[in-house]
Amino acid sequence: MTDVFPLALLFCFLLWFVNKNFKSQFLTNLRASPQTFHKKSTSRLGGLAIYFPLLITGYLIDSAGNYEFLRLALICSLPVFIVGLMDDLNIDMKPVYRLLLLLPSPILFFFLLDIRIDSVGIILFDDLLKIEIIGLLFLSFSLVGIINAFNIIDGFNGLLLTYCLSILLTLILAYESNSGIDWLTFMVALFLATFAVFLFNFPFGKLFLGDAGAYLLGALIPIALIEYTFDNGYSPWFVLAMLIYPVTEVLASVIRKVFFRKMSALQPDGLHFHMLVYKKITKRVGFRRIRLRHFIVTFFIFALNFPFLYAANLFKSNSILLILLCLWYVLIYTMIYFMMLPKYAFKKK
């Protein structure tokens, strides 16, 4: 399984080299967007350095036959990966079409990998989830939402990657045999490929994860969490507790845009949590180097999130404590968010 790491590093180097020496309209990454903070073109094709090393490892290097879960997961996530890659290559697409094109992946996960959300800890709703079509719709809604949430928090060098690596590492260290060796090799391979991109991304920003990478991780990590949780009989709230940061971010974004700013929930507005932290650092501290600002933002949000990830793993069978943990996170997030919020934030767009 360690073969994936040098492969991913090679892909990262090639992507960095091509961006540095060959310019084209598809590879140049300088966009006029409230979410853009970098000044020089940087390849946003980091998702290729995760997907293809995993693909090569799963199909060509697997001699022990332990990559069945990985192979099926990569097939299921291909629609998600392609949709993200189109945006990375500057192929314009309306947000609503992008959301619709993400739907095949949850359907494939449901039928090919048998990924099911069997329970949410609410008796009446759990009975409804036993009906196949409702279970499929709920998985599709949840997975498309979390995929977009992962993309939202991919704003600064290392931000999404540190969050993903933290989740993957805690799951690997807490591995229990009920999940199967396929699941473990999948998680280790995904961790190593993600870590390779992290080395090029943080703190110097030589390679960006891109939408393809964010979407891919936003699909693979949640389905691994679901598989791990229900195979081992943990509380379904464990999944939410591990994903509470992106879930809170996307809910806050929808509420802010739709109910206060009277704009589309799919339209960017530059008021996400990490952006406000960045602007506050720039205004109050005034570090000149953008990379240093990115480092501080990433470290601050990592320091905020990691204790909750650690606590979630401690109480993964206790629904009451996990619910309280989620509520506590939302409270802290909301308090910090409103402390940083500018006066114009809730004005109509």
Side-chain angles (χ1 to χ4, degrees):
M1 69 180 73
T2 55
D3 296 323
V4 71
F5 184 65
L7 274 173
L9 283 177
L10 176 61
F11 268 84
C12 289
F13 175 79
L14 291 175
L15 289 168
W16 168 80
F17 182 82
V18 168
N19 180 80
K20 186 176 178 63
N21 295 282
F22 302 94
K23 305 298 181 184
S24 77
Q25 63 175 347
F26 294 106
L27 299 177
T28 300
N29 177 32
L30 283 173
R31 307 184 183 193
S33 166
Q35 297 170 315
T36 299
F37 288 87
H38 59 283
K39 303 298 181 183
K40 295 181 180 180
S41 176
T42 303
S43 174
R44 37 184 293 132
L45 298 178
L48 295 175
I50 296 178
Y51 192 86
F52 283 103
L54 290 175
L55 196 69
I56 293 169
T57 301
Y59 281 92
L60 301 180
I61 304 178
D62 179 23
S63 58
N66 293 327
Y67 280 106
E68 184 65 23
F69 190 92
L70 173 63
R71 288 193 288 266
L72 288 176
L74 290 175
I75 292 172
C76 295
S77 60
L78 185 58
V80 162
F81 180 73
I82 290 175
V83 172
L85 189 61
M86 290 173 67
D87 185 78
D88 294 335
L89 294 175
N90 294 320
I91 300 174
D92 191 33
M93 183 189 309
K94 290 185 178 179
V96 65
Y97 294 154
R98 187 184 306 181
L99 288 176
L100 291 174
L101 290 173
L102 294 177
L103 287 173
S105 281
I107 295 171
L108 290 171
F109 281 128
F110 189 84
F111 289 108
L112 289 185
L113 269 178
D114 198 32
I115 300 296
R116 313 286 172 107
I117 301 176
D118 297 329
S119 169
V120 293
I122 302 172
I123 296 175
L124 293 178
F125 196 75
D126 287 351
D127 291 336
L128 291 175
L129 289 176
K130 295 176 183 177
I131 303 172
E132 188 169 68
I133 185 62
I134 295 179
L136 174 59
L137 289 173
F138 185 69
L139 177 69
S140 299
F141 173 80
S142 302
L143 200 54
V144 168
I146 200 64
I147 287 169
N148 280 279
F150 269 54
N151 193 42
I152 285 175
I153 64 174
D154 181 31
F156 295 107
N157 297 342
L159 183 56
L160 176 59
L161 288 167
T162 53
Y163 187 73
C164 292
L165 289 171
S166 298
I167 293 175
L168 292 169
L169 185 59
T170 56
L171 290 178
I172 291 168
L173 293 177
Y175 167 72
E176 295 189 18
S177 58
N178 288 345
S179 301
I181 192 65
D182 270 5
W183 181 88
L184 179 62
T185 53
F186 165 73
M187 295 298 291
V188 173
L190 183 56
F191 175 87
L192 292 173
T194 304
F195 185 63
V197 177
F198 173 80
L199 294 177
F200 273 74
N201 176 260
F202 185 80
F204 300 111
K206 299 299 182 182
L207 177 67
F208 291 164
L209 188 58
D211 281 15
Y215 282 3
L216 182 65
L217 292 174
L220 295 181
I221 290 177
I223 64 110
L225 270 168
I226 294 169
E227 183 81 0
Y228 176 73
T229 298
F230 291 109
D231 278 359
N232 290 287
Y234 298 136
S235 167
W237 289 93
F238 175 64
V239 179
L240 178 61
M242 292 294 285
L243 298 173
I244 191 63
Y245 169 43
V247 168
T248 304
E249 183 66 63
V250 77
L251 289 177
S253 177
V254 170
I255 292 171
R256 179 182 69 250
K257 293 175 184 177
V258 174
F259 295 102
F260 292 95
R261 306 200 76 195
K262 306 300 180 183
M263 58 188 289
S264 169
L266 303 177
Q267 184 179 347
D269 67 353
L271 291 173
H272 296 300
F273 186 85
H274 57 275
M275 295 176 181
L276 296 183
V277 175
Y278 179 86
K279 292 172 182 176
K280 186 66 68 174
I281 289 171
T282 302
K283 182 178 179 180
R284 294 292 177 88
V285 184
F287 290 112
R288 292 185 178 181
R289 293 191 176 184
I290 293 178
R291 290 171 182 169
L292 181 57
R293 299 176 197 168
H294 284 211
F295 178 88
I296 294 172
V297 173
T298 296
F299 183 80
F300 173 81
I301 295 180
F302 169 78
L304 173 65
N305 290 325
F306 189 78
F308 286 90
L309 294 176
Y310 180 76
N313 275 276
L314 290 179
F315 308 123
K316 52 194 172 189
S317 296
N318 191 319
S319 294
I320 299 299
L321 288 179
L322 289 170
I323 292 171
L324 291 175
L325 190 67
C326 291
L327 292 174
W328 181 241
Y329 182 89
V330 172
L331 177 62
I332 292 177
Y333 174 101
T334 304
M335 290 174 60
I336 298 174
Y337 187 86
F338 275 98
M339 288 171 59
M340 298 185 298
L341 205 60
K343 295 180 180 179
Y344 66 83
F346 289 125
K347 292 181 179 179
K348 293 182 181 180
K349 185 72 174 176

